[in-house]
Amino acid sequence: MQRGVRASRRRGCEVVSAAVNSAPALDVAKSRRDFPVLERLSRGKRVAYLDTGASAQKPRQVIDAVAEFSAHSYANIHRGVYELSALATQRFEAARARVARFLGASEAREIVFVRNTTEAINLVAFAWGRANVRAGDEVLITEMEHHANIVPWQQLCLERGAALRVAPILDDGALDMEAFARLVSARTKLVAVAHASNVLGTLNPISRICELARAHGALVLVDGAQAAPRIPVDVRALGCDFYAFSGHKAYGPSGASALWGRARVLEAMPPFMTGGGMIASVAFEKTTFAPIPERFEAGTPAIAEVVGLGVALDYLDSIGLAAIDRHETELLAYGTELLRAIPGLRLIGTAREKVGVLSFVVDGVHPHDLGTILDEEGVAIRAGHHCAQPLHARFGIAASARASLGLYNDRDDLDRLAAAIRKAIALFS
């Protein structure tokens, strides 16, 4: 891949861009030492963890921070009048401010903590969608979405009498922008699109998508689960209205993720869930709700995990997202060439603009069998439909194997992946 070309194509849509070319190299050997799980053996071999797209491993800094907070600083937040609760609240809200800086948000109150990206999308579909989508309206998604960015909109459209439109992709996995432009209309209320596909790795032109949506008065929700841990994101520069990402894919704990929304949009939305923590006042006759973001955070949140998420974002910043992007881009190019050289292997997703995801099928070897054989070699990949059945149907397959890269992967991991695939082919031939 020509880095100059990639940087140029990203300009104006992702904030990264030209900085990619000049990004410092990532010291992968040093980074690997931050991850205790990589010190263990898998099936008696050095583990080659190639499933970061499903969930990233956790650096020692995050593990230690969660343990320290749980051991010495834990208390419920926003409730106690005692010192420990006040300090815990400060740590929790500091993490919110940290997430806001990570996404380029205007202010911390635009950040809503949720369990995962799926919950974030459901929040928008339930709260914003029920208040704004009517019969005859349309919600536009793309053919490359995973289930979390399909089913909530599908159910909303069924409930409200609206139509779900699906923009097609090209054979290489890139979004068909001409078709997309034709599908956006005055009837479109919301565009929901992945920043990067979890199967294809395709990096979508979010800025252009937002321009087209805005021209027709539609809002845009971006599913950033696969992109946010890999490339710098600036929600204001992108021009979207909602941006969701998963903390556990960003090297943080599971159960702590975030939804960003424009303040004026969030303020106009009714609550998602109701109960404690999200109210201003309650009487048996009437309840009034708290301002954002508390309005959308009913009940006790994942306090220690949110604190850990803030530390995970500090960790990513200490390495530099531009360096991570450069590292994964170089590994992606290396892995692509390795896999293309294997007879009978077909890559699924070869768009020019990609993040570090390699999905593929192998003639005569079911992806589940492939995953099992690779596991015996200490190589951890994902096999199945990756919560993206319609996308697999688009390519005429029921399942695929997927190797997804993280900041701790190196060329040796990919060499072992290729060698294990060749071994599997030999076993089934």
Side-chain angles (χ1 to χ4, degrees), residues 27-36 38-39 60 315 408:
D27 185 346
V28 66
K30 179 175 180 295
S31 295
R32 284 184 66 88
R33 290 195 291 273
D34 289 334
F35 293 83
L38 300 181
E39 296 170 359
R60 197 181 310 276
Y315 178 77
Y408 32 62

Side-chain angles (χ1 to χ4, degrees), residues 112 114 118-134 152-153 156 159-160 190 219 221 242 259 265-274 278 289 292-293 295-297:
V112 179
V114 291
T118 300
E119 183 172 292
I121 296 171
N122 272 275
L123 189 162
V124 177
F126 187 94
W128 181 88
R130 283 186 168 184
N132 291 280
V133 175
R134 301 282 184 270
W153 308 116
L156 173 70
E159 178 186 310
R160 309 302 291 177
L190 180 108
L219 302 191
L221 176 142
F242 300 102
L259 168 71
V265 179
L266 291 176
E267 286 170 339
M269 288 165 50
F272 173 40
M273 294 188 294
T274 54
M278 50 72 68
F289 302 116
I292 63 169
R295 182 186 307 171
F296 302 108
E297 296 178 350

Side-chain angles (χ1 to χ4, degrees), residues 140-182:
L140 177 58
I141 62 173
T142 81
E143 209 170 16
M144 71 177 75
E145 305 307 319
H146 65 153
H147 298 165
N149 205 26
I150 299 174
V151 181
W153 308 116
Q154 185 181 61
Q155 296 308 301
L156 173 70
C157 289
L158 285 170
E159 178 186 310
R160 309 302 291 177
L164 184 68
R165 301 295 185 205
V166 183
I169 59 174
L170 304 173
D171 288 342
D172 67 357
L175 182 61
D176 184 340
M177 285 302 296
E178 291 183 6
F180 180 89
R182 288 194 297 271

Side-chain angles (χ1 to χ4, degrees), residues 26-33 35 37-42 45-52 57 251 327-328 330-332 334-336 338-339 342 356 358 360 373-375 377-381 402-422:
L26 188 150
D27 185 346
V28 66
K30 179 175 180 295
S31 295
R32 284 184 66 88
R33 290 195 291 273
F35 293 83
V37 72
L38 300 181
E39 296 170 359
R40 61 162 293 165
L41 300 179
S42 177
K45 302 177 176 67
R46 172 187 184 262
V47 62
Y49 186 78
L50 293 166
D51 199 20
T52 298
Q57 295 296 344
Y251 305 91
H327 175 67
E328 290 195 17
E330 291 170 352
L331 279 185
L332 177 66
Y334 181 71
T336 299
L338 281 179
L339 297 192
I342 298 176
L358 289 161
F360 54 93
I373 293 170
L374 265 58
D375 175 54
E377 300 300 316
V379 178
I381 65 164
R402 183 188 73 182
S404 51
L405 304 172
L407 63 88
Y408 32 62
N409 290 122
D410 56 19
R411 288 194 173 204
D412 181 66
D413 292 333
L414 293 170
D415 289 337
R416 292 176 57 204
L417 169 69
I421 294 171
R422 290 181 184 276

Side-chain angles (χ1 to χ4, degrees), residues 56-73:
Q57 295 296 344
K58 317 307 173 194
R60 197 181 310 276
Q61 292 86 339
V62 170
I63 296 168
D64 290 348
V66 172
E68 182 279 328
F69 178 83
S70 300
H72 303 293
S73 303

